């Protein structure tokens, strides 16, 4: 199989790569395993220095790396550069705090001394998506390397140049073979998960890929972290600042041209403000500038692949056929490129794809509700549970949303976003395990209990 880098804005083939052979995979796996033997004993301060160096390299080449992101997956250039800069912040966060988050923790027990030690596991396999081709990798790699693990990356097949550029950054900042990219397709993942040298895995991607990786990791009894899809609710109550809520709603739905797991996808609006919300929301979605993602003035780029464009188009058409109303958009822009018009759907029946499926493009589904009870019930009536954004200035309502929403994160009067200091992850079909924060660095380590008893001394030693 060849792995192709294709410009989603023009459809032009940029570069092709051969998938690694079984022998080439074995060489890289053996190198990773060999690298772990010495890397695991390196000090936290050495690893912190290597992470700092990584951050410097990212910052100094943010434009060039950002252009590569835009070229391969179509993200508007300003956002691509910001993504690279955010990767530097996660490197610096774990460089600064990693040692404290993983230092021995004393526990008072009946032992003469007892403590918890966090030790690296070994080679970790990361299966990553194309939508934030740098951020998804760095938010896993920075804590895992700081913990003393080594990493193998199987990146999405449409971003091979990003995958190689990331390997290059780490090659220039960390000891050899501590981070390597494997240019392979999904079929090679099962064999890797069966290999004894791979100790754990982490996957960010679709539910289907999550099930497959979890199944294969399960066969090998390996721990796996799954960051899967989402259909995040964005709930607006009458006490909200409507202007700010609408502006944020547009941004939250169209971030990364709509291709974000934590993009707001279902807009649940209280009946009494629904008309006002909709009229500004629809005109704001219409006014977005779509076009060449290398042009800084454009806010929406192409979708990453023709397949995604086809999926989004089918989901919208099927929803309209099932009875949903199209308030704006709904058009594939004639080629070249995978452009889809920002779209708003309302009056969505339960059997429509827009009701239950994740739509990975700039398509907003709007629902009217009569009460907070109905809003919470509708928000929770999803198989996903990644994030939720709620807009209200009423403290009782805020508390109810925090207590009752089934999701890995609740943002009040703010857009759902990841932050290196806070854990990130979901519940239900959005996956399990956490990245970032203290939880993220402790996911892929051996939490070792050490108990030093106060049994009788050996008489002969006296
Ligand atoms: P995808 O098709 O699942 O691909 C993600 C990665 O998994 C790619 O590297 C892909 O390789 C690999 N893969 C696919 N099928 C596999 C299998 N059976 N076994 C092993 N690996 C497999 O997902 P996508 O369409 O690229 O990404 C979009 C999805 O990711 C959305 O559902 C989105 O919500 C989710 N996502 C979640 C988060 C989060 O943090 N929760 C963040 C971003 C995206 P190939 O490219 O070679 O097929």
């Amino acid at each position: 199989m060849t792995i192709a880098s294709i410009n989603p804005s023009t459809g032009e083939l940029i570069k092709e790569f051969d998938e690694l052979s079984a022998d080439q995979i074995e060489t890289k796996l053996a190198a990773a395993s060999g690298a772990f033997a010495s890397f695991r004993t390196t000090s936290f301060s050495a690893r912190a220095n290597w992470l700092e160096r990584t951050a410097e390299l990212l910052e100094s080449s943010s434009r060039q790396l950002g252009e590569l992101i835009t070229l391969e997956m179509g993200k508007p250039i300003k956002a691509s550069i910001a993504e690279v800069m955010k990767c530097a912040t996660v490197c610096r966060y774990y460089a600064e705090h990693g040692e404290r988050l993983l230092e021995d923790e004393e526990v008072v027990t009946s032992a003469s001394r007892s403590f918890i030690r966090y030790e690296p596991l070994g080679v970790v396999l990361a299966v990553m998506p194309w939508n934030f081709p740098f951020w998804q990798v760095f938010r896993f790699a920075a804590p895992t390397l700081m913990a003393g693990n080594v990493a193998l990356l199987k990146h999405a097949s449409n971003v091979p140049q990003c995958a190689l550029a990331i390997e290059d950054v780490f090659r220039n900042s960390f000891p050899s073979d501590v981070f390597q990219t494997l240019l392979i397709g999904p079929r090679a993942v099962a064999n890797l998960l069966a290999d004894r040298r791979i100790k754990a895995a982490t996957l960010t991607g679709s539910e289907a890929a999550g099930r497959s990786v979890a199944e294969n990791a399960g066969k090998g009894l390996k721990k796996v972290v799954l960051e899967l899809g989402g259909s995040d609710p964005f709930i607006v109550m009458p006490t909200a600042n409507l202007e700010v809520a609408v502006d944020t709603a547009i941004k939250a739905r169209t971030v990364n041209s709509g291709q974000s797991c934590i993009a707001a996808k279902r807009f649940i609006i209280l009946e009494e403000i629904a008309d006002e919300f909709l009229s500004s929301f629809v005109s704001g979605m219409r006014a977005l500038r779509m076009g060449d993602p290398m042009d800084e003035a454009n806010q929406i780029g192409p979708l990453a692949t023709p397949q995604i464009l086809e999926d989004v188009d089918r989901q919208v058409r099927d929803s309209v056929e099932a009875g949903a109303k199209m308030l704006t958009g709904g058009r594939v822009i004639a080629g070249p490129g995978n452009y889809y018009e920002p779209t708003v759907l309302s009056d969505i029946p339960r059997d429509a794809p827009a009701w239950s499926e994740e739509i990975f493009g700039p398509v907003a589904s709007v629902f009217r509700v009569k009460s907070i009870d109905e809003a919470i019930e509708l928000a929770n009536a999803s198989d996903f549970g990644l994030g939720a954004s709620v807009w209200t200035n009423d403290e009782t309502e805020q508390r109810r949303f925090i207590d009752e929403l089934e999701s890995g994160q609740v943002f009040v009067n703010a857009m759902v976003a990841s932050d290196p200091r806070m854990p990130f992850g979901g519940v239900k079909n959005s996956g399990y395990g956490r990245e970032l924060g203290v939880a993220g660095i402790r996911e892929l380590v051996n939490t070792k209990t050490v108990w030093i008893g106060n049994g009788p001394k050996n008489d002969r030693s006296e």
Side-chain angles (χ1 to χ4, degrees):
M1 173 186 153
T2 52
I3 291 178
S5 183
I6 294 170
N7 183 341
S9 181
T10 60
E12 177 201 353
L13 174 68
I14 312 162
K15 228 172 177 173
E16 275 184 306
F17 301 85
D18 285 329
E19 197 180 333
L20 294 186
S21 66
D23 283 351
Q24 289 169 317
I25 296 174
E26 169 54 33
T27 303
K28 287 190 175 253
L29 189 47
S33 185
F36 178 63
S38 51
F39 188 64
R40 68 191 299 272
T41 62
T42 55
S43 66
F44 282 118
S45 64
R47 292 178 212 154
N49 285 338
W50 292 322
L51 274 180
E52 289 284 356
R53 171 84 186 124
T54 310
E56 283 162 15
L57 290 176
L58 289 167
E59 284 161 353
S60 61
S61 44
S62 61
R63 165 141 300 263
Q64 178 199 343
L65 296 173
E67 283 175 0
L68 192 56
I69 294 175
T70 298
L71 187 72
E72 278 201 312
M73 56 68 66
K75 191 188 303 272
I77 183 67
K78 276 206 262 183
S80 295
I81 295 170
E83 179 175 335
V84 176
M85 295 302 281
K86 189 169 175 181
C87 295
T89 66
V90 78
C91 291
R92 291 197 197 286
Y93 171 76
Y94 282 111
E96 189 181 343
H97 300 285
E99 179 167 7
R100 179 178 56 78
L101 300 177
L102 293 180
E103 72 192 353
D104 290 350
E105 261 178 54
E106 299 292 328
V107 180
V108 177
T109 64
S110 58
S112 69
R113 184 179 171 214
S114 44
F115 61 96
I116 303 163
R117 170 157 295 172
Y118 300 101
E119 287 183 342
L121 290 176
V123 183
V124 177
L125 175 68
V127 182
M128 290 290 143
W130 47 266
N131 64 338
F132 291 84
F134 270 62
W135 172 241
Q136 306 291 3
V137 175
F138 278 87
R139 78 178 184 186
F140 130 79
T144 219
L145 297 183
M146 189 62 193
N149 294 311
V150 307
L152 286 175
L153 167 67
K154 179 263 175 284
H155 216 325
S157 294
N158 57 326
V159 288
Q161 296 198 77
C162 287
L164 292 172
I166 293 169
E167 181 182 59
D168 211 42
V169 169
F170 282 117
R171 193 181 305 116
N172 287 314
S173 54
F174 269 81
S176 304
D177 301 326
V178 159
F179 183 103
Q180 296 176 86
T181 283
L182 304 175
L183 289 184
I184 53 176
R187 274 201 300 273
V189 171
N191 279 346
L192 281 166
L193 290 169
D195 193 289
R196 295 186 62 197
R197 290 165 291 183
I198 302 275
K199 301 298 183 200
T202 176
L203 171 129
T204 300
S206 61
E207 257 184 280
R211 285 182 204 284
S212 165
V213 166
E215 189 184 334
N216 289 315
K219 282 187 195 148
L221 296 180
K222 284 168 196 169
K223 184 164 181 185
V224 62
V225 173
L226 297 179
E227 297 285 0
L228 308 179
S231 186
D232 285 8
F234 186 107
I235 304 174
V236 188
M237 303 296 290
T239 60
N241 178 327
L242 206 56
E243 202 183 315
V244 179
V246 169
D247 283 353
T248 314
I250 293 165
K251 195 169 155 216
R253 178 56 283 208
T254 57
V255 61
N256 206 22
S257 310
Q259 305 160 112
S260 166
C261 54
I262 47 167
K265 294 179 184 130
R266 295 177 297 141
F267 296 83
I268 299 173
I269 318 296
L270 263 283
E271 185 67 59
E272 58 226 82
I273 50 164
D275 287 339
E276 199 183 340
F277 175 91
L278 265 175
S279 103
S280 317
F281 183 62
V282 169
S283 56
M285 289 286 277
R286 267 193 204 125
L288 289 167
R289 242 186 98 151
M290 182 164 66
D292 179 2
M294 287 290 181
D295 179 343
E296 293 206 352
N298 288 329
Q299 297 153 295
I300 308 269
L303 299 177
T305 66
Q307 183 62 53
I308 298 163
L309 179 65
E310 197 183 311
D311 290 347
V312 168
D313 185 42
R314 178 190 44 76
Q315 287 171 303
V316 170
R317 282 163 185 259
D318 288 354
S319 297
V320 170
E321 206 159 287
K325 262 195 213 154
M326 180 120 67
L327 302 184
T328 186
R331 241 175 7 113
V332 173
I333 309 296
N338 316 317
Y339 289 92
Y340 193 83
E341 225 177 11
T343 299
V344 180
L345 299 173
S346 73
D347 301 81
I348 300 158
R350 267 186 178 254
D351 58 346
W355 207 93
S356 54
E357 294 175 13
E358 177 183 35
I359 302 186
F360 224 52
V363 179
S365 302
V366 180
F367 302 85
R368 291 167 185 257
V369 291
K370 294 193 171 57
S371 65
I372 183 169
D373 291 332
E374 206 187 325
I376 292 171
E377 196 187 320
L378 182 57
N380 288 340
S382 165
D383 289 337
F384 296 109
L386 193 51
S389 173
V390 299
W391 293 77
T392 168
N393 284 305
D394 178 309
E395 282 184 20
T396 310
E397 288 176 355
Q398 292 182 356
R399 261 198 308 279
R400 283 202 60 191
F401 286 128
I402 294 166
D403 291 345
E404 295 176 44
L405 286 175
E406 298 166 356
S407 65
Q409 45 227 312
V410 175
F411 281 61
V412 179
N413 296 330
M415 177 175 143
V416 179
S418 58
D419 182 305
R421 297 162 293 192
M422 298 291 280
F424 183 95
V427 294
K428 304 201 273 186
N429 292 2
S430 293
Y432 48 76
R434 291 291 177 269
E435 293 190 293
L436 301 176
V438 56
I441 200 168
R442 290 189 185 164
E443 276 289 357
L444 299 177
V445 291
N446 172 18
T447 303
K448 183 186 264 182
T449 288
V450 181
W451 184 284
I452 301 170
N454 35 18
K457 290 207 171 82
N458 181 346
D459 289 346
R460 280 168 299 175
S461 66
E462 285 177 0

